[in-house]
Amino acid sequence: MANRITGSRSILPVFRNLTTYPCAASKPLATLAALESTSSLHALPSAAYSSSPPLLANNSTLYHRQFPAASSTRCFSSAPTTQPDVKLYQYHICPFCNITKSLLSYSKLDYESVEVNPLTKAELKPWSGDYRKVPIALIGEEQINGSDEILNSILDLTHVQNILKQRWADEITSDDSHNTMTMQQFQRSDNAQKWSVFARDDLAALLYPNICGSIGDSYDAFGYVKNVESFSALQKMSIQSLGALAMYFAASKVKSKRNITDEKEALREALDKFESEGLQDGKLSYSSGLQCPDMGDLAVFGVLYSVRGLNAHNDAIQSRGGPVKEWYDRMFDQVIGE
């Protein structure tokens, strides 16, 4: 691989291998940096959060049907059609991978995703150097490590900027034309940065105790492996059994590190904060404060979407209702489409 761009390290230590599950956001926050030395939150491979199996191509390639391609939803008249080849190495339920996929899909970029075996990481070893965490993206011929670096690289692409600018122009109403989204505001505004940090630092960490609070729940979370065609029957059994055990203990460590006694209540309180401060109790359609979401909205949505199909998702979204559910439905339309 000719070029590599590498972020610093993963936010959640337990995402690093299966014994330390490797999911990486490139610029960790201090509160979660301490978790780097613990074991396996990143041990969650891809489809574990999905109630319906992902659509798989041959071998280990997973195409983003749940995050649709540009051509499968909306078309923007003046948006450029050329783009580099994008391949994303991921775990389906990794929150940082899902943040990345949220931006890819919102930006209408076609991409190919490859499910990585969290036990062997065989899909990474031939070419990724010493880096063994996900997400890793290949954009053209460039290897980019870690979600923050991938997001920055995507948003630096001229044709992505053109697509987004055209999208925002098409979606703005005449009586709100003075509040059109800009690239700076989308990525760098106080709101965008605040809620991106919240998604990575707080929300992502709180989901793991909620999905792996028991061995049984953790085992169910790894049920996705049954639908990964590139994994052998023995690999599927090993990943689900060992992964469930590793994730259960990792989730327990997260609870201890963050002094969580009731993980469901902690998740509710985090979403209460987003509802009151981000959405102003439903007065705002998006935490951006505009008619379009920003990177903060995409980050929060990506983390929540990563656990779709599991009880934690039902608790966080479906059963909760109210402004968060309404916001989530709007984000689903924006990112996933009909």
Side-chain angles (χ1 to χ4, degrees):
M1 194 60 54
N3 299 309
R4 292 191 179 99
I5 297 177
T6 305
S8 56
R9 43 186 180 167
S10 86
I11 288 182
L12 292 176
V14 267
F15 278 139
R16 304 194 78 171
N17 313 307
L18 179 54
T19 42
T20 52
Y21 191 70
C23 230
S26 50
K27 297 179 181 176
L29 302 163
T31 51
L32 282 181
L35 293 175
E36 287 289 335
S37 60
T38 63
S39 55
S40 64
L41 258 188
H42 280 16
L44 295 170
S46 89
Y49 280 75
S50 180
S51 57
S52 57
L55 298 180
L56 295 165
N58 292 333
N59 300 323
S60 61
T61 303
L62 174 66
Y63 290 90
H64 62 297
R65 305 305 187 191
Q66 292 165 325
F67 285 97
S71 59
S72 65
T73 53
R74 306 175 186 85
C75 293
F76 300 94
S77 57
S78 60
T81 58
T82 59
Q83 67 164 67
D85 291 333
V86 178
K87 182 180 287 189
L88 184 70
Y89 290 80
Q90 61 132 35
Y91 302 131
H92 181 81
I93 58 171
C94 158
F96 310 116
C97 298
N98 278 275
I99 292 173
T100 303
K101 291 192 289 185
S102 291
L103 178 60
L104 286 166
S105 188
Y106 182 73
S107 301
K108 302 304 172 185
L109 290 182
D110 294 316
Y111 67 95
E112 177 185 345
S113 60
V114 177
E115 191 65 24
V116 175
N117 184 325
L119 295 179
T120 66
K121 301 174 216 39
E123 296 79 6
L124 304 179
K125 288 179 179 178
W127 55 270
S128 67
D130 295 332
Y131 199 79
R132 293 288 186 270
K133 295 174 285 189
V134 296
I136 299 178
L138 297 180
I139 300 180
E141 294 299 318
E142 190 167 49
Q143 175 184 335
I144 304 172
N145 300 334
S147 61
D148 284 356
E149 295 296 342
I150 297 170
L151 298 177
N152 290 336
S153 296
I154 293 168
L155 291 172
D156 282 344
L157 295 171
T158 300
H159 69 272
V160 167
Q161 295 177 8
N162 291 339
I163 288 171
L164 291 178
K165 289 174 184 176
Q166 184 62 58
R167 174 172 190 157
W168 297 330
D170 289 348
E171 292 180 351
I172 203 71
T173 61
S174 58
D175 54 348
D176 199 32
S177 58
H178 61 290
N179 285 327
T180 303
M181 181 72 75
T182 65
M183 289 301 303
Q184 174 71 17
Q185 187 165 8
F186 178 79
Q187 188 177 11
R188 304 295 183 190
S189 71
D190 290 344
N191 281 340
Q193 294 190 45
K194 174 181 178 178
W195 297 112
S196 292
V197 166
F198 166 81
R200 296 192 309 263
D201 188 26
D202 294 330
L203 202 55
L206 289 173
L207 284 180
Y208 288 97
N210 276 273
I211 65 168
C212 298
S214 70
I215 295 290
D217 286 342
S218 190
Y219 186 83
D220 290 342
F222 280 86
Y224 81 92
V225 297
K226 298 173 184 177
N227 302 307
V228 180
E229 294 178 355
S230 61
F231 294 166
S232 69
L234 179 59
Q235 286 174 324
K236 294 175 182 179
M237 182 175 63
S238 298
I239 292 170
Q240 188 166 19
S241 300
L242 296 177
L245 189 62
M247 279 300 300
Y248 170 73
F249 287 114
S252 298
K253 289 183 179 181
V254 171
K255 289 180 64 174
S256 177
K257 289 280 186 179
R258 298 177 70 93
N259 296 317
I260 297 172
T261 56
D262 185 335
E263 60 271 18
K264 291 186 177 181
E265 180 60 26
L267 180 59
R268 277 195 295 270
E269 289 176 357
L271 291 173
D272 285 346
K273 177 180 178 179
F274 180 67
E275 181 175 306
S276 62
E277 298 180 21
L279 302 176
Q280 294 186 10
D281 295 317
K283 294 177 183 177
L284 300 179
S285 296
Y286 303 103
S287 66
S288 67
L290 301 180
Q291 294 184 2
C292 307
D294 61 15
M295 198 59 238
D297 288 293
L298 289 176
V300 175
F301 174 79
V303 171
L304 292 172
Y305 189 71
S306 72
V307 297
R308 62 201 178 278
L310 297 182
N311 289 334
H313 187 272
N314 292 332
D315 291 341
I317 304 300
Q318 305 301 331
S319 298
R320 180 186 178 92
V324 170
K325 172 64 164 60
E326 294 166 2
W327 164 87
Y328 185 89
D329 290 342
R330 284 191 291 272
M331 288 300 301
F332 187 94
D333 290 340
Q334 289 274 353
V335 177
I336 310 301
E338 297 179 359

